[in-house]
Amino acid sequence: MLFNISCVFGGSKASEEQIQEWIQTGDHYHREQYYSAAFGWYEKAAKAGSAIGQRRVGMMYGGGIGVKQDYKKAFKWLMKAAKQEDVDAQTMIGLSYNNGYGVKRDDAKAIEWLTKAAKQEEPQAQYLLGEIYVSGGKGVARDVKEAIKWYKKAAENGNADAQDALGQMYLQGNGVEKDCSEAMKWWRKAAEQGHAEAQYNLAVMYNNGEGVERNIEEAFKWHLKAAEQGVIDAQINVAESYESGEGVEPNNEMAFKWYLEAAKAGSAEGQAKVAYKYEEGIGVNKDHEAAIYWIKQYEKNANK
């Protein structure tokens, strides 16, 4: 259902065509990053009863985009849209109850609203149900079988987070029989969608030969993809590969680059390696002061 027109503007009911035009105008301003203007048009549509307008007003209040952040107002507008069967708003209401955004945390109510959306095949709602059931929550008992059910539905509907989670469940044998090949299958699906953790997991499996024949070139390929998205362990592994020449041509400069990325992200191992390479001039010009700086960063990290 797109619209439920019940408000009056200027003494007459807004037509569906008018409301659609307000939404489109809001979309235009949002694309151009004139967020305050976009909010005004969405709010106009929301007050006229548009579920789309209500959802977008709620999202802008929640994110503080074009308006002062206000979780309570966000929840109010999202609930209006959710009650009109807006599946995205239902998912957001479930998330709000799960996290206590603008409302008292209540995982039972989170499940109620997420289930409404999930039954309409909304993948994010299905994934979030899996997340709640896998660990339990306030007023909700842990139920791994139920978690698996919803993870599978979300994964089959293309949700990369669910595909990654399902891979973990198969690797651990948590709620399902342990199956490394099945873990690989789901991680590959998520990795091909750009999911960084799944890319890293896939790389580790290729490196260890679990669920697949060992392939260090494939391991390097997926480690590099994960490293480029900021996965620190992957950055270390890429650096080590460039050092050793395993899966890629040796390259000291590239090894240094990736150790430095990891070091900047707070990796103690990366910081120690960068300090050593600056001191010895391996893959970078010798720099004693830089070496001292990074060894101090390592010591701070090690003493935490």
Side-chain angles (χ1 to χ4, degrees):
M1 182 187 298
L2 292 179
F3 305 115
N4 178 13
I5 303 168
S6 58
C7 281
V8 174
F9 280 88
S12 62
K13 288 183 179 179
S15 70
E16 190 169 320
E17 187 177 280
Q18 283 178 310
I19 294 175
Q20 184 64 32
E21 186 177 326
W22 296 340
I23 294 290
Q24 290 173 351
T25 303
D27 289 345
H28 167 75
Y29 281 119
H30 198 282
R31 285 193 300 271
E32 297 298 319
Q33 299 184 11
Y34 295 117
Y35 297 123
S36 294
F39 177 83
W41 287 103
Y42 290 147
E43 186 179 40
K44 191 172 184 179
K47 288 179 177 178
S50 161
I52 293 174
Q54 291 163 350
R55 168 166 39 89
R56 291 185 183 170
V57 166
M59 291 171 68
M60 293 184 84
Y61 269 123
I65 301 169
V67 67
K68 185 178 179 182
Q69 190 173 57
D70 189 322
Y71 288 127
K72 287 185 178 179
K73 287 182 179 178
F75 183 85
K76 180 189 85 170
W77 284 107
L78 289 171
M79 181 60 84
K80 287 179 182 291
K83 287 180 176 178
Q84 293 199 69
E85 305 302 325
D86 184 289
V87 67
D88 291 328
Q90 290 172 343
T91 302
M92 292 174 200
I93 286 293
L95 190 61
S96 296
Y97 273 120
N98 182 229
N99 290 286
Y101 293 151
V103 67
K104 186 177 179 181
R105 185 182 171 189
D106 187 329
D107 285 334
K109 286 187 177 179
I111 282 180
E112 176 189 339
W113 283 101
L114 290 172
T115 301
K116 287 178 185 287
K119 285 181 177 178
Q120 298 177 68
E121 299 301 322
E122 210 300 305
Q124 184 66 11
Q126 293 168 337
Y127 164 68
L128 291 170
L129 280 173
E131 288 288 278
I132 294 173
Y133 279 120
V134 80
S135 56
K138 192 173 181 182
V140 177
R142 185 171 184 264
D143 188 334
V144 177
K145 293 291 184 184
E146 193 71 8
I148 291 288
K149 180 185 91 171
W150 289 111
Y151 279 151
K152 278 187 175 178
K153 286 180 179 291
E156 287 165 357
N157 281 325
N159 184 281
D161 288 328
Q163 290 165 348
D164 180 60
L166 199 53
Q168 291 286 357
M169 303 296 270
Y170 274 110
L171 180 71
Q172 298 163 4
N174 187 6
V176 290
E177 187 175 344
K178 182 172 180 175
D179 188 332
C180 291
S181 295
E182 195 70 8
M184 281 287 292
K185 180 184 94 172
W186 289 109
W187 279 333
R188 184 181 300 282
K189 287 179 182 292
E192 288 173 350
Q193 291 193 70
H195 193 287
E197 288 299 326
Q199 290 169 343
Y200 173 72
N201 292 333
L202 200 60
V204 171
M205 299 291 273
Y206 270 118
N207 189 67
N208 296 340
E210 292 184 81
V212 68
E213 186 177 344
R214 188 168 189 254
N215 187 324
I216 57 174
E217 288 79 15
E218 277 293 296
F220 177 81
K221 180 183 88 172
W222 289 107
H223 269 137
L224 182 59
K225 287 180 182 291
E228 289 170 343
Q229 294 200 72
V231 178
I232 295 174
D233 286 341
Q235 292 170 341
I236 293 291
N237 288 337
V238 167
E240 289 175 346
S241 294
Y242 275 121
E243 262 186 334
S244 66
E246 190 169 79
V248 68
E249 286 293 316
N251 187 318
N252 283 327
E253 287 76 17
M254 291 299 292
F256 175 81
K257 172 194 168 180
W258 284 108
Y259 280 132
L260 184 60
E261 288 293 323
K264 287 177 178 177
S267 164
E269 183 178 357
Q271 291 161 349
K273 286 282 191 176
V274 167
Y276 171 75
K277 288 180 180 295
Y278 268 125
E279 188 64 30
E280 298 298 323
I282 301 172
V284 66
N285 291 332
K286 280 190 175 186
D287 188 331
H288 183 63
E289 289 184 5
I292 290 173
Y293 169 81
W294 282 109
I295 203 64
K296 285 182 177 178
Q297 295 303 307
Y298 164 77
E299 287 170 352
K300 285 180 188 176
N301 215 346
N303 291 329
K304 282 182 181 177

